[in-house]
Amino acid sequence: NAGVTQTPKFRVLKTGQSMTLLCAQDMNHEYMYWYRQDPGMGLRLIHYSVGEGTTAKGEVPDGYNVSRLKKQNFLLGLESAAPSQTSVYFCASSYSVAGHSYNEQFFGPGTRLTVL
Amino acid sequence: GQQVMQIPQYQHVQEGEDFTTYCNSSTTLSNIQWYKQRPGGHPVFLIQLVKSGEVKKQKRLTFQFGEAKKNSSLHITATQTTDVGTYFCAGMGRDDKIIFGKGTRLHILP
């Protein structure tokens, strides 16, 4: 099992460009998450999904969109990148018990994004 | 909204000394999780605490969940160079939203 994979690993964008980050998991997890990590700020939740076809806003959703068309994939989109979106992006997934995600999150290796 | 505060932000210890990081929530938590992130790596799950007053041990690591389920701590006995990294707590509120603390970065001096 590959676990949680993320593509790409690195990316440099110019302000105003768009891009999509792909997260894939092969553990049949219901819950998937997108976080950003900035120095001194810990991990902040951008969006999450509790199942195929559903998404919800996290702590810092502005400037991002997500889609969960397939259970194993969770896409994070930046429509018009800004320098403030320079960060390391982590995807994670977890399984649910009785409809609640009370369990450990499995993280991908991260995507380092720089917006010039 | 729910906030999870973690202290200290940084900690330097001599190898062999003990280390403790504390996590405090503004609201009662359903559970709390602890993660470790090595430099350049991704967070890796360590443990989950669910019950009030719960204490769990993993070798040299001791995890506690407060009686009011609003605070938690991670204590490492006799630190080793392999303990280097950032330790995060993550609290889940009753709305199923998980909030990470900002982490404590542990440096080990040889």
Side-chain angles (χ1 to χ4, degrees):
Chain A
N1 288 348
V4 180
T5 58
Q6 292 182 234
T7 52
K9 288 186 171 55
F10 303 93
R11 186 72 186 268
V12 179
L13 289 178
K14 294 182 179 178
T15 297
Q17 287 185 317
S18 64
M19 79 162 295
T20 300
L21 282 68
L22 171 64
C23 176
Q25 53 95 3
D26 61 2
M27 297 172 283
N28 201 35
H29 285 171
E30 291 290 336
Y31 284 64
M32 295 188 74
Y33 314 82
W34 274 108
Y35 294 92
R36 60 176 291 172
Q37 185 174 38
D38 304 295
M41 296 298 293
L43 289 155
R44 292 184 292 171
L45 183 64
I46 305 171
H47 286 280
Y48 65 101
S49 168
V50 302
E52 181 179 324
T54 69
T55 63
K57 294 180 179 180
E59 186 183 355
V60 288
D62 294 342
Y64 305 94
N65 57 75
V66 289
S67 64
R68 183 100 180 266
L69 298 179
K70 293 182 178 181
K71 186 177 183 179
Q72 63 268 34
N73 296 336
F74 196 27
L75 279 64
L76 178 70
L78 286 73
E79 290 187 350
S80 180
S84 61
Q85 294 177 304
T86 293
S87 187
V88 179
Y89 291 85
F90 287 102
C91 175
S93 70
S94 66
Y95 56 94
S96 65
V97 175
H100 296 282
S101 178
Y102 287 141
N103 305 292
E104 66 178 285
Q105 294 187 33
F106 294 81
F107 282 81
T111 294
R112 188 174 296 273
L113 175 67
T114 301
V115 183
L116 302 176
Chain B
Q2 180 186 343
Q3 293 187 349
V4 174
M5 308 298 292
Q6 194 173 349
I7 57 170
Q9 189 174 1
Y10 301 97
Q11 184 81 58
H12 293 78
V13 300
Q14 291 284 146
E15 187 175 5
E17 290 182 339
D18 292 356
F19 159 77
T20 304
T21 174
Y22 301 91
C23 192
N24 292 290
S25 170
S26 57
T27 59
T28 302
L29 302 170
S30 298
N31 66 55
I32 195 158
Q33 299 172 353
W34 285 91
Y35 292 81
K36 177 183 178 181
Q37 184 177 24
R38 295 182 184 277
H42 59 275
V44 175
F45 176 82
L46 293 176
I47 208 158
Q48 176 171 279
L49 305 171
V50 180
K51 299 177 182 176
S52 170
E54 191 169 12
V55 178
K56 287 188 176 181
K57 292 189 176 184
Q58 290 179 349
K59 297 182 180 179
R60 295 179 294 105
L61 278 62
T62 302
F63 304 84
Q64 294 187 325
F65 200 12
E67 293 290 341
K69 300 183 74 173
K70 295 178 73 172
N71 57 72
S72 181
S73 65
L74 158 60
H75 179 82
I76 302 178
T77 303
T79 55
Q80 300 175 358
T81 54
T82 54
D83 296 325
V84 165
T86 301
Y87 293 85
F88 294 96
C89 62
M92 180 168 286
R94 300 199 183 281
D95 58 358
D96 275 6
K97 287 189 177 176
I98 193 162
I99 302 292
F100 277 77
K102 293 184 178 181
T104 296
R105 184 176 296 179
L106 174 62
H107 295 269
I108 307 290
L109 304 171

